[in-house]
Amino acid sequence: MTDTGSLLLRWVSEQGAGSLSDVKQGMWWLAAKHGPDIEPGAPGRWLRDAVSLAYMDIDWRNRRWCAAPPVLTRLPKARGLAVLTGSRTAAFDARLARAVQGGLLELLRVPSDRPARDIPLPHSLIIQFDNEEGLASWAAELGAAYTPCFALQGARLLPPLRPGALTSAPEFGKPLEQYDLDSREYRPVPRPQGEGLYRLKRRDSKRVCQVLRAGEWHETSHEQGVYLVLESRGRAADVLRWLPEKYCGRERFGTLYVDYGYPLPDLQRRVAVMCCGLAPRINTQAENLAYDNVPYAVAAKIAESLGQHLGEKADD
Amino acid sequence: MGTAYKQWHEVLSAEFFGAGYALQSTVLYIDDEAERELAESYSIDMGLAQAVADELNWTDPERPLFSRIQRRCEIWARSGAMGPPPSLPVLALSVLAATRMASSDGMLKTNFYGRWIQLFSEQRSTFRANKLEHAFQDVAVMWEALDNWLEKTGGLYGASTVSTDEFYWKIGYPISQALVRGSDRHALTRFFAATRLRPHNLDDLSSRELLRRLRLWTTGRDRRLSPRLMEELAGAADVDNTLIADLIKRLAHDWDGTLHEPERERRRRGVGLRLMVADRGRRLEWLAEVCEGISETSVAVAGGRMLMLCEDYGHVYRGLESLQPSWQQLDHGLRLEGEDLVLEWGPREVVLLRMHPHLGEWVSTEYFEPGEEHWILAADPTVGAVRSMVSALVGRTVREAPAPVPGWKLFKGVRALNGLAFARTLDEGGEHAHVLEPQLRQHAVLSGGLRIAPEFRIGGAVAGHFLRGGAPDLLLPASASPDGRVEVVLDGYREKLRADPRVPFPLCVIPLDEGEHRVGTDQSSQLFTLHDGLNEGLPPGSGTLGYACQGTAQPELRNAENLEAVIRGAEVPGGIRLPRSVLVRSNVLEAVLIDPGGGVRQVRQQTVPEWMVSRLPEDACGPGLEVDVPDGYVWLVYRTPTRWSVRTLAVASDIPVPTPEPDDFAWAYAVLRAADRCRTAVWLEYVAAAEAIAGRREAR
């Protein structure tokens, strides 16, 4: 195994679980070996993609992670393609290699393009199938769980947007930052400047986000916080856009565009990514992420769960 | 033994090995000034040299020159070695000789014996001078006895700093005591604090590393170290076993973390302040690591306000945030003093920073780690030199940004991935090249790597278990060879592999098998293991986090082990019904779905989606039709370029008998297209029904 992404996935898979700082340290060490252009934020971005691709689950607030169980799941309306995701230990890879050699599976290893500043992702394992029953039995033979179609099932389970638990106001005199939706960055403020998303340093040195709504402070994540603030601004603040495919018979499938600065929460991102089994495309010029093969129904569920109304044009 | 000798013994015992020195480094430092002060304060009429000279045996040629004192020492040893040895005045006199070593009186500064003979008022090259020189071997033995006694008494009378080197082993003993004066020891405790040495050198910094840091600490600043020590520092060879290196290491080993302040009843702890660049370079803060045993205390700026400190996450003090680092503090230094603690920042023009593992911010550090990313905070006058130095590392372009303090600049992304360029930059030197100096080690150490099964490491002889492909870097001990390189030994093979110990040796580039490997040098090595994997099933901990589901998922992850309905990775709870779909992996030209009641549903053609064409291999974009099957439809009839086919969409026993209306001609037409493509009984029933409809139509 030579590629960086696959080695990292095997590493987290073999560990099972751990602390975020340890895994970032290892990733940074390996990345420095293979890419001189890797930037300091690269481990964080790799981990977010790994969550999206359902390799891991990460509890960011408590700085812990675990490898996700291996799962075989269909991609929606993808001409008989499924993706094999989750933990990829050496033993699992060996079983998979035997299955491919024995002709049981037709496996495609598909890379997700990432810029040179990022750590490469593992290749997605795309499997071609002829019938769903066969797919379920392959999953069993590999020791993986079978989820008929995560994208469709996960979309139905997306939680509605709501502020987290009530919490105390930021300590007076301590550094405080407010998220500026226009510049898409946090800016230092001397004190809370009305409703909005704020970031502060907790006693354990971890940066946490809190949202001020209706005079009350709530715990939140950065992603949820951004959409909570957007929700309070009404239709004018809708930021998600979905563009249908142009070709015959696939009008209800398309691409979901999410601009930089409005990242989807983990679960919504995973639902969007598992529509094609590949990490979102990065449109550097347009400053957005593009999630391919997203059925309109799934995009609408994602939007609904974030208090958004779905725009149907990329340039809306 | 004469009265004066006894007096000197008592005085020296009290002054250098008294109760106040228990568990602390003690140095038997006697120079002319110290001798005079002691003689005056204890009213000793006779000088030290004369007191010792009176004990010498010049009369009995059968016995050694120091036979009287040796005899006393034997008795002292036999009777339990209570108190300091009787040889103390002799030893002190030898230190006095060492403190007089200087280029004067026709003697070189390296001439110890000249000064030793001079103390006894003897002429050089005479019989008595030669005898004194030869008898020094016995004095060396006395030094060793003192060292052993201090060791055996477990620090009760002080911790020994008696040292020597191999070449000048006899005269090395007194020289070791003459190098460091009492005032030097005071200053050295400040150095140890400033360099954030852990008490008793728990991190086992090598003597060369300590010397390197001491040189840096003293560069361009008057640290109030004696000229003798400074001279020795400047002239010491860059190897481990020099006298000064041994001595500094010994002092570091004995250092208990306190500042040497005899004037204070309470001995204060000292810690070097760190500088933290927070918020991606937008904010500057002072940072101090917690002193063991002091979780809460207060310190004050000289003539200023009090700061309350208490232990916080990451083993640092909270309470310094309000003390905004200013350019004046950076330029002139900062000293915060309290009753228990002194925090100090020594001024410097170039500050090296590394990511703090717990705080996630850039924090000043003492040495460079090649391979890791660093930032450099540089004062404006140094910017040009720093810029050319970091560009010589030949890595990714370093980003320059304004620092959050006027008159300083930040260099971000400083890394040394190219070992050759890094070594060349160090060799070329330069005013600020010292910030790129990696730590000098005395043992081989493994660093980085992709560790697995960390729980197996505890208490074992193995330095770590690593994933194959993620073997760690080897950090080599400093070299004493002329070319500065170290011979690497891997699994017993040396293969003439010599490496620069300043550059981490990447073991991951060597194809190694699974199993144990020993790597290092002849003197120091580490054992580690490599594995492709350790788990046949899922490793413990996998899948322990998930989104609990009650109707919908919870937005936050939680422990999933006892949850029934949970999303873990791409695993979802059962019970969500999806539309059934069927796949035909052929070039389908047309297709229809058929139900038992005469219903026919056209299936629309689909082109290969653009995302598949652009992102997937060609193999994945072959012909195919995926059809969503609404409830009730039981057959799919489709046409490929060569023939019609039919596919069942349900288990045969679940397919109802056909019940078309007599005028369901489209239904019949669709069935008859594939009439002979299936021989199951239930299909034949459908064919018969279709034929019946078709027959009626023909009849009409």
Side-chain angles (χ1 to χ4, degrees):
Chain A
M1 181 182 302
T2 52
D3 72 284
T4 307
S6 301
L7 191 62
L8 281 177
L9 178 54
R10 175 173 290 183
W11 182 51
V12 295
S13 302
E14 287 290 344
Q15 290 188 93
S19 79
L20 217 45
S21 56
D22 287 347
V23 77
K24 277 188 176 178
Q25 212 170 341
M27 291 172 68
W28 184 246
W29 171 84
L30 186 68
K33 290 264 168 282
H34 297 285
D37 293 329
I38 304 288
E39 285 184 352
R45 291 195 288 273
W46 191 95
L47 288 169
R48 284 186 193 281
D49 278 335
V51 168
S52 309
L53 289 158
Y55 297 136
M56 308 168 74
D57 278 303
I58 300 180
D59 179 358
W60 301 99
R61 199 173 181 86
N62 296 304
R63 298 170 167 170
R64 57 190 183 148
W65 62 271
C66 75
V71 171
L72 185 57
T73 186
R74 275 193 294 128
L75 304 177
K77 222 42 174 294
R79 301 166 74 86
L81 296 182
V83 62
L84 183 56
T85 185
S87 167
R88 229 183 265 178
T89 61
F92 183 83
D93 274 344
R95 282 200 295 276
L96 183 63
R98 282 196 298 272
V100 172
Q101 270 181 353
L104 181 69
L105 293 178
E106 282 183 77
L107 181 71
L108 303 166
R109 294 180 190 273
V110 184
S112 288
D113 284 342
R114 280 293 173 265
R117 65 186 161 89
D118 278 340
I119 302 169
L121 288 167
H123 287 187
S124 292
L125 303 181
I126 304 288
I127 287 175
Q128 288 186 300
F129 65 94
D130 290 331
N131 63 72
E132 201 174 331
E133 291 72 27
L135 204 55
S137 70
W138 290 347
E141 287 204 34
L142 291 170
Y146 177 65
T147 297
C149 182
F150 177 82
L152 300 180
Q153 292 169 283
R156 293 195 196 172
L157 292 169
L158 289 177
L161 188 67
R162 56 175 173 251
L166 282 173
T167 187
S168 55
E171 213 172 324
F172 181 76
K174 298 283 179 190
L176 182 68
E177 298 168 302
Q178 184 174 17
Y179 191 67
D180 181 347
L181 283 167
D182 298 325
S183 64
R184 300 178 305 209
E185 63 177 10
Y186 283 95
R187 291 193 164 161
V189 286
R191 63 189 69 81
Q193 317 273 312
E195 296 206 341
L197 174 63
Y198 293 85
R199 189 170 68 173
L200 56 141
K201 214 168 214 181
R202 215 165 56 178
R203 284 279 165 93
D204 63 0
S205 184
K206 168 72 178 162
R207 277 216 189 86
V208 293
C209 293
Q210 292 184 187
V211 69
L212 177 60
R213 276 167 69 114
E216 289 183 323
W217 289 91
H218 298 266
E219 290 178 356
T220 187
S221 64
H222 169 72
E223 292 84 353
Q224 295 272 353
V226 167
Y227 284 98
L228 282 167
V229 174
L230 288 172
E231 186 190 37
S232 66
R233 297 190 177 184
R235 287 297 297 261
D238 287 339
V239 295
L240 299 181
R241 285 156 297 163
W242 180 86
L243 191 67
E245 290 179 15
K246 295 171 186 163
Y247 301 101
C248 170
R250 290 187 55 88
E251 293 78 10
R252 302 312 286 167
F253 288 77
T255 304
L256 178 67
Y257 292 92
V258 182
D259 281 353
Y260 289 0
Y262 310 106
L264 296 178
D266 285 353
L267 202 49
Q268 279 83 349
R269 219 170 52 240
R270 183 177 293 166
V271 166
V273 161
M274 296 308 285
C275 290
C276 70
L278 302 170
R281 284 182 287 119
I282 299 172
N283 292 321
T284 312
Q285 296 276 324
E287 297 195 332
N288 63 34
L289 297 179
Y291 297 84
D292 285 322
N293 197 40
V294 181
Y296 178 80
V298 170
K301 284 277 185 195
I302 290 173
E304 185 189 330
S305 74
L306 296 174
Q308 290 273 302
H309 302 87
L310 198 60
E312 285 205 18
K313 284 186 180 176
D315 55 354
D316 270 356
Chain B
M1 191 179 281
T3 311
Y5 190 93
K6 279 185 185 167
Q7 277 182 308
W8 274 110
H9 180 263
E10 284 167 14
V11 167
L12 294 168
S13 298
E15 282 292 318
F16 296 100
F17 302 96
Y21 283 100
L23 302 174
Q24 293 175 47
S25 303
T26 181
V27 179
L28 181 58
Y29 182 87
I30 290 284
D31 59 6
D32 291 318
E33 190 185 344
E35 187 208 4
R36 192 169 52 249
E37 282 175 4
L38 287 176
E40 282 173 13
S41 48
Y42 287 93
S43 307
I44 308 173
D45 297 332
M46 192 183 287
L48 179 62
Q50 190 56 52
V52 174
D54 286 352
E55 300 299 316
L56 298 183
N57 165 37
W58 292 109
T59 53
D60 184 355
E62 299 289 322
R63 292 179 181 277
L65 192 60
F66 289 100
S67 55
R68 283 188 214 161
I69 296 162
Q70 285 170 301
R71 172 79 184 135
R72 288 280 170 190
C73 287
E74 283 167 18
I75 295 168
W76 167 81
R78 277 206 302 272
S79 58
M82 303 296 286
S87 57
L88 220 46
V90 180
L91 302 181
L93 189 65
S94 68
V95 176
L96 184 57
T99 62
R100 288 185 176 184
M101 288 167 75
S103 299
S104 63
D105 307 333
M107 283 187 251
L108 292 173
K109 65 177 181 182
T110 51
N111 188 346
F112 172 80
Y113 289 116
R115 300 296 176 186
W116 172 243
I117 292 160
Q118 195 182 47
L119 274 173
F120 291 96
S121 306
E122 300 293 344
Q123 296 297 312
R124 278 181 283 172
S125 305
T126 60
F127 163 77
R128 287 168 74 107
N130 290 339
K131 184 109 177 162
L132 275 168
E133 184 172 339
H134 290 142
F136 199 80
Q137 171 124 7
D138 295 331
V139 180
V141 172
M142 291 174 199
W143 274 112
E144 285 168 358
L146 175 70
D147 188 36
N148 289 337
W149 171 72
L150 285 169
E151 290 289 335
K152 279 181 184 167
T153 49
L156 190 62
Y157 296 92
S160 176
T161 55
V162 177
S163 309
T164 189
D165 59 17
E166 287 177 11
F167 193 69
Y168 296 109
W169 72 270
K170 285 183 288 184
I171 62 171
Y173 292 121
I175 292 173
S176 76
Q177 303 298 284
L179 284 180
V180 181
R181 306 181 58 146
S183 59
D184 291 329
R185 281 196 297 143
H186 298 192
L188 284 172
T189 57
R190 286 182 60 199
F191 159 66
F192 293 146
T195 199
R196 286 171 281 272
L197 186 77
R198 290 177 67 197
H200 305 293
N201 192 13
L202 286 176
D203 293 328
D204 200 22
L205 290 188
S206 73
S207 47
R208 287 175 66 181
E209 173 66 14
L210 286 166
L211 269 193
R212 184 186 74 82
R213 293 191 190 186
L214 183 55
R215 283 194 186 110
L216 277 182
W217 189 66
T218 52
T219 302
R221 308 275 168 191
D222 179 11
R223 301 294 190 183
R224 297 182 188 171
L225 291 174
S226 64
R228 179 70 198 277
L229 181 58
M230 290 298 292
E231 191 182 326
E232 193 68 22
L233 261 181
D238 194 18
V239 289
D240 268 325
N241 53 357
T242 60
L243 194 57
I244 181 70
D246 277 352
L247 189 60
I248 298 292
K249 182 155 191 202
R250 202 147 187 180
L251 289 167
H253 182 76
D254 296 333
W255 184 59
D256 61 358
T258 60
L259 295 172
H260 193 91
E261 298 171 318
E263 72 279 9
R264 284 183 171 267
E265 282 185 20
R266 300 178 64 183
R267 295 170 58 79
R268 298 189 293 184
R269 306 284 295 275
V271 180
L273 275 169
R274 287 188 194 270
L275 200 58
M276 180 167 81
V277 180
D279 293 349
R280 297 177 183 175
R282 286 183 293 218
R283 197 157 46 83
L284 214 54
E285 277 185 22
W286 291 113
L287 189 76
E289 275 143 13
V290 171
C291 249
E292 207 166 308
I294 307 179
S295 55
E296 284 187 28
T297 188
S298 60
V299 290
V301 188
R305 62 198 166 101
M306 186 81 83
L307 300 163
M308 302 301 297
L309 305 182
C310 62
E311 186 170 352
D312 203 357
Y313 174 81
H315 203 59
V316 298
Y317 284 118
R318 185 176 67 244
L320 291 170
E321 308 84 37
S322 57
L323 186 66
Q324 185 70 29
S326 63
W327 65 266
Q328 292 94 335
Q329 290 169 355
L330 294 187
D331 282 355
H332 305 300
L334 175 66
R335 190 171 165 89
L336 305 173
E337 295 195 46
E339 282 299 304
D340 313 308
L341 191 62
V342 176
L343 303 174
E344 190 171 9
W345 173 262
R348 64 200 80 166
E349 290 183 302
V350 180
V351 182
L352 182 70
L353 307 146
R354 200 163 71 228
M355 179 65 80
H356 193 284
H358 301 298
L359 304 180
E361 304 285 11
W362 297 90
V363 174
S364 58
T365 179
E366 287 76 33
Y367 55 88
F368 192 82
E369 282 282 6
E372 281 192 25
E373 174 158 351
H374 299 75
W375 285 9
I376 291 178
L377 187 65
D380 278 348
T382 67
V383 163
V386 171
R387 186 181 293 133
S388 55
M389 180 178 78
V390 296
S391 349
L393 295 175
V394 192
R396 186 170 173 277
T397 311
V398 172
R399 303 179 303 284
E400 290 184 32
V405 62
W408 291 72
K409 191 157 229 170
L410 262 180
F411 289 82
K412 299 179 175 179
V414 180
R415 274 199 282 172
L417 297 176
N418 181 330
L420 283 176
F422 176 58
R424 196 167 52 237
T425 308
L426 287 177
D427 292 339
E428 281 170 3
E431 200 182 345
H432 308 293
H434 58 83
V435 297
L436 297 184
E437 288 279 351
Q439 190 165 9
L440 295 171
R441 295 172 177 81
Q442 53 192 348
H443 303 294
V445 178
L446 298 179
S447 163
L450 300 181
R451 282 185 187 275
I452 50 175
E455 67 279 12
F456 291 168
R457 186 160 51 101
I458 299 163
V462 178
H465 306 280
F466 297 86
L467 191 70
R468 197 150 71 117
D473 294 332
L474 174 65
L475 306 180
L476 288 158
S479 164
S481 73
D483 68 352
R485 297 172 87 80
V486 174
E487 190 166 62
V488 178
V489 184
L490 175 59
D491 294 332
Y493 297 101
R494 36 195 88 237
E495 308 261 338
K496 293 185 179 169
L497 180 56
R498 293 179 68 77
D500 187 333
R502 296 172 298 183
V503 182
F505 186 82
L507 293 169
C508 64
V509 301
I510 303 174
L512 294 171
D513 292 332
E514 281 194 284
E516 281 186 10
H517 299 279
R518 182 170 286 282
V519 68
T521 63
D522 278 331
Q523 289 74 36
S524 167
S525 63
Q526 293 276 331
L527 187 68
F528 68 97
T529 72
L530 289 178
H531 303 272
D532 283 335
L534 291 173
N535 303 278
E536 190 50 40
L538 276 184
S542 304
T544 46
L545 297 172
Y547 298 91
C549 294
Q550 290 169 323
T552 60
Q554 297 294 311
E556 302 289 342
L557 272 180
R558 52 190 282 198
N559 285 330
E561 284 153 299
N562 300 319
L563 298 175
E564 281 184 11
V566 63
I567 299 176
R568 301 182 307 168
E571 199 179 47
V572 294
I576 298 174
R577 199 159 165 269
L578 293 177
R580 205 156 64 85
S581 68
V582 65
L583 189 80
V584 181
R585 200 168 287 288
S586 303
N587 184 12
V588 177
L589 302 175
E590 59 181 302
V592 289
L593 291 165
I594 291 170
D595 73 8
V600 179
R601 188 183 179 110
Q602 289 289 331
V603 175
R604 293 184 64 188
Q605 274 297 351
Q606 296 156 7
T607 52
V608 180
E610 195 177 314
W611 73 269
M612 286 180 70
V613 175
S614 62
R615 301 189 71 179
L616 298 183
E618 206 175 324
D619 296 352
C621 306
L625 179 73
E626 189 176 0
V627 183
D628 285 337
V629 182
D631 285 345
Y633 289 93
V634 290
W635 299 102
L636 172 70
V637 173
Y638 58 94
R639 180 167 70 90
T640 62
T642 53
R643 63 182 184 189
W644 282 91
S645 299
V646 61
R647 181 177 290 188
T648 175
L649 302 177
V651 179
S653 56
D654 293 342
I655 297 178
V657 293
T659 55
E661 294 298 323
D663 57 350
D664 283 334
F665 298 114
W667 184 90
Y669 182 70
V671 170
L672 290 174
R673 290 256 168 116
D676 58 348
R677 304 306 300 170
C678 179
R679 306 305 301 165
T680 59
V682 65
W683 175 247
L684 293 177
E685 283 179 33
Y686 275 67
V687 173
E691 282 173 343
I693 294 169
R696 282 197 191 108
R697 190 183 183 195
E698 281 161 11
R700 193 185 295 175

